[in-house]
Amino acid sequence: MPVISSLDKARRQRAIQLNVADRVRRVGQFVLSKLAQKRSGLGCSDTVDIPAAPLVVGINGPQGSGKTTMVRGLVDYLRAHKVSTVGFSLDDIYLTNAEQRNLAQTHTLNPLLQYRGQPGTHDVELGRSTLTSLIRNTGPTAIPAYDKSRYGGYGDRVPREQWTQAQPPVDVVLFEGWCLGFQSLDSAEFARYIERVHGDSVMYKYSRKFSDDNLAQVNANLGSYERGLYPLIDAWVWARAEDLDVVYRWRKEQEDELAAQGHDSLSDQQLEDFVTRFMPGYEMAMPKLDVCGFISSGIIPEHDTLRMHLDLNRNVVAFDHQL
């Protein structure tokens, strides 16, 4: 077994820190430019008594890609630029453990809905009401929270009295999630997807593990996200992984970190089952995102998406605005 010296470890950690810092700086500059665009387009000024609506930024990226770490860095970066910022996650609006168990019992034949993760396992109305309150910018907003370590790693929502209160005025809202931005396929698109699932392409090897009806239900569930959440989002940041097979490795690193901190975490077998249920969502949605981009409020006239291309080690190898 090769020996890694403390110096090598220090250099590697320093490289990771520099990569994260550069990512935060580049994304932070993008957010600041879009905030200026939104305020300019709406004719806002600092002399207006009523606070301007914040810029809402959706952040999409695979599990373990560093979304949460980046959001923490962005909050600090933007606050250093005197921009009041609130960040939360699609994970924070997962159904409660009791609601998830009820959903599983209602869909006993669909393994994709037995545990949290796929579209249909979030409280979209809670997300919409939270975003709407932040956009109104006239009073405190309770920010939901979710504890993934509860119930042996299957998680539960934190009691409401423990939620953080975001105080107005808020300039930027950062809302991140692994499937945030995924769009449903229409009947013709879904038929083509199912045809490929039944073929022999390795691009659909995870979808192949589930029935057409299982996949159709998840696809249908995306409609409420498109109607309830996406029209409230002004701009997007997309962490695009070059190979989705790396998701398991990235997610395991997260579980190992939870365990190291003394929290409950998933076993290797539980993790494999868990991630396998996520993967059809990527296979179903990513091709359409690559072609069509994201649904947004339409307030930002052009280049409302910053795409980061990630290698297998989460390094950003390119930025673009092609969508």
Side-chain angles (χ1 to χ4, degrees), residues 152-230:
Y154 288 103
D156 196 10
R157 192 179 300 158
V158 173
R160 190 179 185 91
E161 58 269 20
Q162 297 178 24
W163 296 1
T164 301
Q165 297 287 324
Q167 301 294 331
V170 174
D171 299 312
V172 171
V173 177
L174 304 172
F175 186 32
E176 58 97 350
W178 79 274
C179 65
L180 188 68
F182 285 8
Q183 300 164 39
S184 61
L185 306 180
D186 64 29
S187 57
E189 291 168 333
F190 188 76
R192 287 194 294 271
Y193 160 69
I194 290 298
E195 181 179 353
R196 291 165 185 155
V197 169
H198 289 293
D200 56 7
S201 170
V202 296
M203 291 179 61
Y204 301 93
K205 61 185 177 184
Y206 293 102
S207 299
R208 210 163 284 136
K209 298 176 183 289
F210 303 95
S211 73
D212 294 0
D213 287 343
N214 293 163
L215 299 167
Q217 181 62 61
V218 170
N219 183 57
N221 289 344
L222 281 167
S224 64
Y225 296 67
E226 294 170 350
R227 295 186 298 272
L229 299 176
Y230 304 166

Coordinates of all heavy atoms in Angstrom, one line a residue, residues 152-230:
G152 N -31.6 6.2 11.7 CA -30.6 5.3 11.1 C -30.1 5.7 9.7 O -29.6 4.9 8.9
G153 N -30.1 7.0 9.5 CA -29.6 7.6 8.2 C -30.8 7.8 7.2 O -30.5 8.3 6.1
Y154 N -32.0 7.5 7.5 CA -33.1 7.7 6.6 C -33.7 9.1 6.8 O -34.4 9.6 5.9 CB -34.2 6.6 6.8 CG -33.7 5.3 6.2 CD1 -33.3 4.3 7.0 CD2 -33.6 5.1 4.8 CE1 -32.8 3.1 6.5 CE2 -33.2 3.9 4.3 CZ -32.7 2.9 5.2 OH -32.3 1.7 4.6
G155 N -33.4 9.8 7.9 CA -33.7 11.2 8.0 C -35.1 11.6 8.4 O -36.0 10.8 8.4
D156 N -35.2 12.9 8.9 CA -36.5 13.5 9.2 C -36.3 15.0 9.2 O -35.2 15.5 9.4 CB -37.0 13.0 10.6 CG -38.4 13.2 10.8 OD1 -39.1 13.6 9.9 OD2 -38.9 13.0 12.0
R157 N -37.4 15.7 9.0 CA -37.4 17.1 9.1 C -37.2 17.6 10.5 O -37.7 17.0 11.4 CB -38.7 17.7 8.5 CG -38.6 19.2 8.2 CD -39.9 19.8 7.6 NE -40.2 19.1 6.4 CZ -41.4 19.0 5.9 NH1 -42.4 19.6 6.5 NH2 -41.7 18.5 4.7
V158 N -36.4 18.7 10.6 CA -36.1 19.3 11.9 C -37.4 20.0 12.4 O -38.1 20.6 11.6 CB -35.0 20.3 11.8 CG1 -34.8 21.1 13.1 CG2 -33.7 19.6 11.5
P159 N -37.8 19.9 13.7 CA -39.0 20.6 14.2 C -39.0 22.1 13.8 O -37.9 22.7 13.9 CB -38.9 20.4 15.7 CG -38.1 19.1 15.9 CD -37.1 19.1 14.7
R160 N -40.1 22.6 13.5 CA -40.2 24.0 13.0 C -39.7 25.0 13.9 O -39.1 26.0 13.5 CB -41.7 24.3 12.7 CG -41.9 25.6 11.9 CD -43.4 25.9 11.6 NE -43.5 27.1 10.8 CZ -43.5 27.1 9.5 NH1 -43.4 26.0 8.8 NH2 -43.6 28.3 8.9
E161 N -39.8 24.7 15.2 CA -39.3 25.7 16.2 C -37.8 25.8 16.2 O -37.3 26.8 16.8 CB -39.8 25.4 17.6 CG -39.4 24.0 18.1 CD -40.4 22.9 17.8 OE1 -41.3 23.1 16.9 OE2 -40.4 21.9 18.5
Q162 N -37.1 24.9 15.5 CA -35.7 24.9 15.4 C -35.2 25.5 14.1 O -34.0 25.6 13.9 CB -35.1 23.5 15.6 CG -35.4 22.9 17.0 CD -34.8 21.5 17.1 OE1 -33.9 21.1 16.4 NE2 -35.4 20.7 18.0
W163 N -36.1 25.9 13.2 CA -35.7 26.5 11.9 C -35.1 27.9 12.1 O -35.5 28.6 13.0 CB -36.9 26.6 11.0 CG -37.5 25.3 10.6 CD1 -37.1 24.0 11.0 CD2 -38.6 25.1 9.7 NE1 -38.0 23.1 10.5 CE2 -38.9 23.7 9.7 CE3 -39.5 26.0 9.0 CZ2 -39.9 23.2 8.9 CZ3 -40.5 25.4 8.3 CH2 -40.7 24.1 8.2
T164 N -34.1 28.2 11.3 CA -33.5 29.5 11.3 C -34.5 30.5 10.7 O -35.2 30.3 9.8 CB -32.2 29.5 10.4 OG1 -31.3 28.6 11.0 CG2 -31.6 30.9 10.4
Q165 N -34.5 31.7 11.3 CA -35.3 32.8 10.8 C -34.5 33.8 9.9 O -33.6 34.4 10.5 CB -36.0 33.6 12.0 CG -36.9 32.8 12.8 CD -38.3 32.5 12.1 OE1 -38.8 33.3 11.4 NE2 -38.8 31.3 12.4
A166 N -34.8 33.9 8.7 CA -34.1 34.8 7.8 C -34.8 36.2 7.9 O -36.0 36.3 7.7 CB -34.1 34.3 6.4
Q167 N -34.0 37.2 8.2 CA -34.6 38.6 8.4 C -34.4 39.4 7.1 O -33.3 39.4 6.5 CB -33.8 39.3 9.6 CG -34.0 38.5 10.9 CD -35.4 38.5 11.4 OE1 -36.2 39.3 11.1 NE2 -35.7 37.4 12.2
P168 N -35.4 40.1 6.7 CA -35.3 41.0 5.6 C -34.5 42.3 5.9 O -34.3 42.6 7.1 CB -36.7 41.4 5.3 CG -37.4 41.3 6.6 CD -36.7 40.2 7.4
P169 N -33.9 43.0 4.9 CA -34.0 42.6 3.5 C -33.0 41.6 3.0 O -31.9 41.6 3.5 CB -33.8 44.0 2.8 CG -32.8 44.7 3.8 CD -33.2 44.3 5.1
V170 N -33.4 40.7 2.2 CA -32.6 39.7 1.6 C -32.3 40.1 0.1 O -33.2 40.4 -0.6 CB -33.2 38.3 1.6 CG1 -32.4 37.3 0.9 CG2 -33.5 37.9 3.1
D171 N -31.0 40.0 -0.2 CA -30.6 40.4 -1.6 C -30.5 39.2 -2.5 O -30.9 39.3 -3.7 CB -29.2 41.1 -1.6 CG -29.3 42.4 -0.8 OD1 -30.2 43.2 -1.0 OD2 -28.3 42.6 0.0
V172 N -30.1 38.1 -2.0 CA -29.9 36.9 -2.8 C -30.3 35.6 -2.1 O -30.1 35.5 -0.9 CB -28.4 36.7 -3.2 CG1 -28.1 35.3 -3.9 CG2 -27.9 37.8 -4.1
V173 N -31.0 34.8 -2.8 CA -31.4 33.5 -2.2 C -30.8 32.4 -3.0 O -30.9 32.4 -4.3 CB -33.0 33.3 -2.3 CG1 -33.3 31.9 -1.8 CG2 -33.7 34.3 -1.5
L174 N -30.0 31.5 -2.4 CA -29.4 30.4 -3.0 C -30.1 29.1 -2.7 O -30.2 28.8 -1.5 CB -27.9 30.3 -2.6 CG -27.0 31.5 -2.7 CD1 -25.7 31.3 -2.0 CD2 -26.8 31.8 -4.2
F175 N -30.7 28.5 -3.7 CA -31.5 27.3 -3.5 C -30.9 26.1 -4.3 O -30.9 26.2 -5.5 CB -32.9 27.6 -4.0 CG -34.0 26.5 -3.7 CD1 -33.9 25.7 -2.6 CD2 -35.0 26.4 -4.6 CE1 -34.9 24.7 -2.3 CE2 -36.0 25.4 -4.3 CZ -35.9 24.6 -3.2
E176 N -30.4 25.1 -3.6 CA -29.7 24.0 -4.3 C -30.3 22.7 -4.1 O -31.1 22.4 -3.1 CB -28.2 24.0 -3.8 CG -28.0 23.7 -2.3 CD -27.8 22.3 -1.9 OE1 -27.9 21.4 -2.8 OE2 -27.4 22.1 -0.8
G177 N -30.1 21.8 -5.1 CA -30.6 20.5 -5.0 C -30.2 19.6 -6.2 O -29.9 20.1 -7.3
W178 N -30.1 18.3 -5.9 CA -29.5 17.4 -6.9 C -30.5 17.3 -8.1 O -30.0 17.1 -9.3 CB -29.3 16.0 -6.3 CG -30.6 15.2 -6.2 CD1 -31.4 15.2 -5.1 CD2 -31.1 14.2 -7.1 NE1 -32.5 14.3 -5.3 CE2 -32.3 13.7 -6.5 CE3 -30.7 13.7 -8.3 CZ2 -33.1 12.7 -7.2 CZ3 -31.4 12.8 -9.0 CH2 -32.6 12.3 -8.4
C179 N -31.8 17.4 -7.9 CA -32.7 17.3 -9.0 C -33.4 18.6 -9.3 O -34.4 18.6 -10.1 CB -33.7 16.1 -8.8 SG -34.8 16.3 -7.4
L180 N -33.0 19.6 -8.6 CA -33.6 21.0 -8.8 C -33.4 21.4 -10.3 O -32.2 21.4 -10.7 CB -33.1 22.0 -7.9 CG -33.8 23.3 -7.8 CD1 -35.2 23.2 -7.3 CD2 -33.0 24.4 -7.0
G181 N -34.4 21.7 -11.0 CA -34.3 22.0 -12.4 C -34.6 20.9 -13.4 O -34.9 21.2 -14.6
F182 N -34.7 19.7 -12.9 CA -35.1 18.6 -13.8 C -36.5 18.8 -14.3 O -37.4 19.2 -13.5 CB -35.1 17.2 -13.0 CG -33.7 16.7 -12.8 CD1 -32.5 17.4 -13.1 CD2 -33.5 15.4 -12.2 CE1 -31.3 16.9 -12.8 CE2 -32.3 14.9 -12.0 CZ -31.1 15.6 -12.3
Q183 N -36.7 18.5 -15.5 CA -38.0 18.7 -16.2 C -38.6 17.4 -16.6 O -37.9 16.5 -17.0 CB -37.8 19.6 -17.4 CG -37.3 21.0 -17.0 CD -36.8 21.7 -18.3 OE1 -37.4 21.7 -19.3 NE2 -35.6 22.4 -18.2
S184 N -40.0 17.4 -16.6 CA -40.7 16.2 -17.0 C -40.6 16.0 -18.6 O -40.4 17.0 -19.3 CB -42.1 16.2 -16.6 OG -42.8 17.3 -17.2
L185 N -40.6 14.8 -19.0 CA -40.6 14.5 -20.4 C -42.0 14.4 -20.9 O -42.9 13.8 -20.2 CB -39.9 13.1 -20.7 CG -38.5 13.0 -20.1 CD1 -37.9 11.6 -20.5 CD2 -37.6 14.1 -20.6
D186 N -42.3 15.0 -22.1 CA -43.7 14.9 -22.6 C -43.8 13.4 -23.2 O -42.9 12.6 -23.1 CB -43.9 15.9 -23.7 CG -43.0 15.8 -24.9 OD1 -42.6 14.7 -25.3 OD2 -42.8 16.8 -25.6
S187 N -45.0 13.1 -23.6 CA -45.3 11.7 -24.0 C -44.3 11.2 -25.1 O -43.8 10.0 -25.0 CB -46.7 11.6 -24.5 OG -47.0 12.4 -25.6
A188 N -44.0 12.0 -26.1 CA -43.1 11.5 -27.1 C -41.7 11.4 -26.6 O -41.0 10.4 -26.9 CB -43.1 12.5 -28.3
E189 N -41.2 12.3 -25.7 CA -39.9 12.3 -25.1 C -39.8 11.0 -24.2 O -38.8 10.3 -24.2 CB -39.6 13.5 -24.3 CG -39.4 14.8 -25.2 CD -39.4 16.1 -24.4 OE1 -40.0 16.1 -23.3 OE2 -38.8 17.0 -24.9
F190 N -40.8 10.8 -23.4 CA -40.8 9.7 -22.5 C -40.8 8.4 -23.3 O -40.1 7.4 -22.9 CB -42.0 9.7 -21.6 CG -41.9 8.7 -20.5 CD1 -41.1 8.8 -19.4 CD2 -42.7 7.5 -20.5 CE1 -41.0 7.9 -18.4 CE2 -42.6 6.6 -19.5 CZ -41.8 6.7 -18.5
A191 N -41.5 8.3 -24.4 CA -41.5 7.1 -25.2 C -40.1 6.8 -25.8 O -39.7 5.6 -25.8 CB -42.5 7.2 -26.3
R192 N -39.4 7.8 -26.2 CA -38.0 7.7 -26.7 C -37.1 7.2 -25.6 O -36.2 6.4 -25.8 CB -37.5 8.9 -27.3 CG -38.2 9.3 -28.7 CD -37.4 10.3 -29.4 NE -37.5 11.6 -28.8 CZ -38.4 12.5 -28.9 NH1 -39.4 12.3 -29.8 NH2 -38.4 13.7 -28.3
Y193 N -37.3 7.8 -24.4 CA -36.5 7.4 -23.2 C -36.7 5.9 -22.9 O -35.7 5.2 -22.7 CB -36.8 8.3 -22.1 CG -36.5 7.8 -20.7 CD1 -35.1 7.7 -20.3 CD2 -37.5 7.4 -19.8 CE1 -34.8 7.2 -19.0 CE2 -37.2 7.0 -18.5 CZ -35.8 6.9 -18.1 OH -35.5 6.4 -16.9
I194 N -37.9 5.5 -22.8 CA -38.2 4.1 -22.5 C -37.7 3.2 -23.6 O -37.2 2.1 -23.3 CB -39.8 3.9 -22.4 CG1 -40.3 4.6 -21.1 CG2 -40.1 2.4 -22.3 CD1 -39.6 4.0 -19.8
E195 N -37.7 3.6 -24.8 CA -37.2 2.8 -25.9 C -35.7 2.6 -25.7 O -35.1 1.5 -25.9 CB -37.4 3.5 -27.3 CG -36.9 2.7 -28.5 CD -37.2 3.4 -29.8 OE1 -37.9 4.4 -29.8 OE2 -36.6 2.9 -30.8
R196 N -35.0 3.6 -25.2 CA -33.5 3.5 -25.0 C -33.3 2.7 -23.7 O -32.3 1.9 -23.6 CB -33.0 4.9 -24.8 CG -32.9 5.7 -26.1 CD -32.7 7.2 -25.9 NE -32.8 7.9 -27.1 CZ -33.1 9.2 -27.2 NH1 -33.3 9.9 -26.1 NH2 -33.2 9.8 -28.4
V197 N -34.2 2.8 -22.7 CA -34.1 2.0 -21.5 C -34.1 0.5 -21.9 O -33.4 -0.3 -21.3 CB -35.2 2.3 -20.5 CG1 -35.2 1.3 -19.4 CG2 -34.9 3.7 -19.9
H198 N -35.0 0.1 -22.8 CA -35.1 -1.3 -23.2 C -34.1 -1.7 -24.2 O -34.1 -2.9 -24.6 CB -36.5 -1.5 -23.8 CG -37.6 -1.5 -22.7 ND1 -37.7 -2.4 -21.7 CD2 -38.6 -0.6 -22.4 CE1 -38.7 -2.1 -20.9 NE2 -39.3 -1.0 -21.3
G199 N -33.2 -0.8 -24.6 CA -32.1 -1.1 -25.5 C -30.9 -1.6 -24.7 O -31.1 -2.1 -23.6
D200 N -29.7 -1.5 -25.3 CA -28.6 -2.0 -24.6 C -27.5 -0.9 -24.2 O -26.4 -1.2 -23.9 CB -27.9 -3.1 -25.4 CG -27.5 -2.6 -26.8 OD1 -27.6 -1.4 -27.1 OD2 -27.1 -3.5 -27.6
S201 N -27.9 0.4 -24.3 CA -27.0 1.4 -24.0 C -26.7 1.5 -22.5 O -27.6 1.4 -21.7 CB -27.6 2.8 -24.4 OG -26.8 3.9 -23.9
V202 N -25.4 1.6 -22.2 CA -25.0 1.7 -20.8 C -25.5 3.0 -20.1 O -25.5 3.2 -18.9 CB -23.5 1.6 -20.6 CG1 -23.0 0.2 -21.0 CG2 -22.7 2.7 -21.4
M203 N -25.9 4.0 -21.0 CA -26.3 5.3 -20.4 C -27.6 5.1 -19.6 O -28.0 6.0 -18.9 CB -26.6 6.2 -21.6 CG -25.3 6.7 -22.3 SD -25.6 7.8 -23.6 CE -26.4 9.2 -22.8
Y204 N -28.3 4.0 -19.8 CA -29.6 3.8 -19.1 C -29.6 2.6 -18.2 O -30.7 2.0 -18.0 CB -30.8 3.8 -20.1 CG -30.8 5.0 -21.0 CD1 -30.2 5.1 -22.2 CD2 -31.5 6.2 -20.5 CE1 -30.2 6.3 -22.9 CE2 -31.5 7.3 -21.2 CZ -30.8 7.4 -22.5 OH -30.9 8.6 -23.2
K205 N -28.4 2.2 -17.8 CA -28.3 0.9 -17.0 C -29.0 0.9 -15.7 O -29.5 -0.1 -15.2 CB -26.9 0.5 -16.8 CG -26.1 1.6 -16.0 CD -24.6 1.2 -16.0 CE -23.8 2.2 -15.2 NZ -22.3 1.9 -15.2
Y206 N -29.2 2.1 -15.1 CA -29.9 2.2 -13.8 C -31.4 2.2 -14.0 O -32.1 1.5 -13.2 CB -29.4 3.4 -13.0 CG -28.0 3.3 -12.5 CD1 -27.0 4.0 -13.2 CD2 -27.6 2.5 -11.5 CE1 -25.7 3.9 -12.8 CE2 -26.3 2.4 -11.0 CZ -25.3 3.1 -11.7 OH -24.0 3.1 -11.3
S207 N -31.9 2.9 -15.0 CA -33.3 3.0 -15.3 C -33.8 1.6 -15.6 O -35.0 1.3 -15.3 CB -33.6 3.9 -16.5 OG -33.2 5.2 -16.2
R208 N -33.0 0.8 -16.2 CA -33.3 -0.6 -16.6 C -33.7 -1.5 -15.4 O -34.3 -2.5 -15.6 CB -32.2 -1.2 -17.4 CG -32.5 -2.2 -18.4 CD -31.3 -2.4 -19.4 NE -31.2 -1.3 -20.3 CZ -30.1 -0.7 -20.6 NH1 -28.9 -1.1 -20.1 NH2 -30.0 0.3 -21.5
K209 N -33.3 -1.1 -14.2 CA -33.6 -1.9 -13.0 C -35.1 -1.7 -12.5 O -35.5 -2.4 -11.6 CB -32.7 -1.5 -11.9 CG -31.2 -1.7 -12.1 CD -30.3 -1.2 -11.0 CE -28.8 -1.4 -11.3 NZ -28.4 -2.8 -11.2
F210 N -35.8 -0.7 -13.1 CA -37.1 -0.4 -12.7 C -38.2 -0.5 -13.8 O -37.8 -0.5 -15.0 CB -37.1 1.0 -12.1 CG -36.1 1.2 -11.0 CD1 -34.9 1.7 -11.2 CD2 -36.5 0.8 -9.7 CE1 -33.9 1.9 -10.2 CE2 -35.5 1.0 -8.7 CZ -34.3 1.5 -8.9
S211 N -39.4 -0.7 -13.4 CA -40.5 -0.9 -14.4 C -40.8 0.5 -15.1 O -40.5 1.5 -14.6 CB -41.7 -1.4 -13.8 OG -42.4 -0.4 -13.0
D212 N -41.4 0.4 -16.3 CA -41.9 1.6 -17.0 C -42.8 2.4 -16.1 O -42.8 3.6 -16.1 CB -42.6 1.2 -18.3 CG -41.7 0.5 -19.3 OD1 -40.5 0.3 -19.0 OD2 -42.1 0.1 -20.4
D213 N -43.7 1.7 -15.4 CA -44.6 2.4 -14.5 C -43.9 3.2 -13.4 O -44.3 4.3 -13.0 CB -45.7 1.5 -13.9 CG -46.7 1.0 -15.0 OD1 -46.8 1.6 -16.0 OD2 -47.3 0.0 -14.7
N214 N -42.9 2.5 -12.8 CA -42.1 3.2 -11.8 C -41.5 4.5 -12.3 O -41.6 5.6 -11.7 CB -41.0 2.3 -11.3 CG -41.4 1.1 -10.6 OD1 -40.6 0.1 -10.4 ND2 -42.6 1.0 -10.1
L215 N -40.9 4.4 -13.5 CA -40.3 5.6 -14.1 C -41.3 6.7 -14.5 O -41.0 7.9 -14.3 CB -39.4 5.1 -15.3 CG -38.3 4.1 -15.0 CD1 -37.8 3.5 -16.3 CD2 -37.2 4.8 -14.2
A216 N -42.4 6.2 -15.0 CA -43.5 7.2 -15.4 C -44.0 8.0 -14.2 O -44.3 9.2 -14.4 CB -44.6 6.4 -16.1
Q217 N -44.1 7.3 -13.0 CA -44.5 8.1 -11.9 C -43.6 9.2 -11.5 O -44.0 10.3 -11.2 CB -44.7 7.1 -10.7 CG -45.2 7.8 -9.4 CD -46.6 8.4 -9.6 OE1 -47.6 7.7 -9.9 NE2 -46.7 9.7 -9.4
V218 N -42.3 8.9 -11.5 CA -41.3 9.9 -11.1 C -41.3 11.0 -12.2 O -41.3 12.2 -11.8 CB -39.9 9.3 -11.1 CG1 -38.8 10.4 -11.0 CG2 -39.8 8.3 -9.9
N219 N -41.5 10.7 -13.4 CA -41.6 11.7 -14.5 C -42.8 12.6 -14.3 O -42.7 13.8 -14.4 CB -41.7 11.0 -15.9 CG -41.7 12.0 -17.0 OD1 -40.8 12.8 -17.1 ND2 -42.7 12.0 -17.8
A220 N -43.9 12.0 -13.9 CA -45.1 12.8 -13.7 C -45.0 13.7 -12.5 O -45.5 14.8 -12.5 CB -46.3 11.9 -13.5
N221 N -44.2 13.2 -11.5 CA -44.1 14.0 -10.3 C -43.3 15.3 -10.5 O -43.5 16.3 -9.8 CB -43.3 13.2 -9.2 CG -44.1 12.1 -8.6 OD1 -45.3 12.0 -8.8 ND2 -43.4 11.1 -8.0
L222 N -42.5 15.4 -11.6 CA -41.7 16.6 -11.8 C -42.6 17.8 -12.2 O -42.2 18.9 -12.1 CB -40.7 16.3 -13.0 CG -39.5 15.6 -12.5 CD1 -38.7 15.1 -13.8 CD2 -38.6 16.5 -11.7
G223 N -43.8 17.5 -12.6 CA -44.7 18.6 -13.0 C -45.0 19.6 -11.9 O -45.0 20.8 -12.2
S224 N -45.1 19.1 -10.7 CA -45.3 20.1 -9.6 C -44.1 21.0 -9.3 O -44.3 22.1 -8.9 CB -45.7 19.3 -8.3 OG -44.7 18.5 -7.9
Y225 N -42.9 20.5 -9.6 CA -41.7 21.2 -9.4 C -41.7 22.3 -10.5 O -41.3 23.5 -10.2 CB -40.5 20.4 -9.5 CG -40.4 19.3 -8.4 CD1 -41.3 18.2 -8.3 CD2 -39.4 19.3 -7.4 CE1 -41.2 17.3 -7.3 CE2 -39.2 18.4 -6.4 CZ -40.2 17.4 -6.4 OH -40.1 16.4 -5.4
E226 N -42.0 22.0 -11.7 CA -42.0 22.9 -12.8 C -43.0 24.0 -12.5 O -42.7 25.2 -12.8 CB -42.4 22.2 -14.1 CG -41.3 21.2 -14.5 CD -41.8 20.3 -15.7 OE1 -43.0 20.4 -16.0 OE2 -41.0 19.6 -16.2
R227 N -44.2 23.7 -12.0 CA -45.2 24.7 -11.8 C -44.9 25.5 -10.5 O -45.2 26.7 -10.4 CB -46.6 24.1 -11.7 CG -47.0 23.4 -13.0 CD -48.4 22.9 -12.9 NE -48.6 21.9 -11.8 CZ -48.4 20.6 -12.1 NH1 -48.1 20.1 -13.3 NH2 -48.6 19.7 -11.1
G228 N -44.5 24.8 -9.4 CA -44.4 25.5 -8.1 C -43.1 26.1 -7.8 O -43.1 27.1 -7.0
L229 N -42.0 25.7 -8.3 CA -40.7 26.2 -7.9 C -39.9 27.0 -9.0 O -39.4 28.1 -8.8 CB -39.8 25.0 -7.4 CG -40.3 24.3 -6.2 CD1 -39.4 23.1 -5.9 CD2 -40.5 25.2 -5.0
Y230 N -39.8 26.4 -10.2 CA -38.9 26.9 -11.2 C -39.3 28.3 -11.7 O -38.4 29.1 -11.9 CB -38.8 26.0 -12.4 CG -38.4 24.6 -12.1 CD1 -38.6 23.6 -13.0 CD2 -37.9 24.2 -10.9 CE1 -38.2 22.3 -12.7 CE2 -37.5 23.0 -10.6 CZ -37.6 22.0 -11.5 OH -37.3 20.7 -11.2

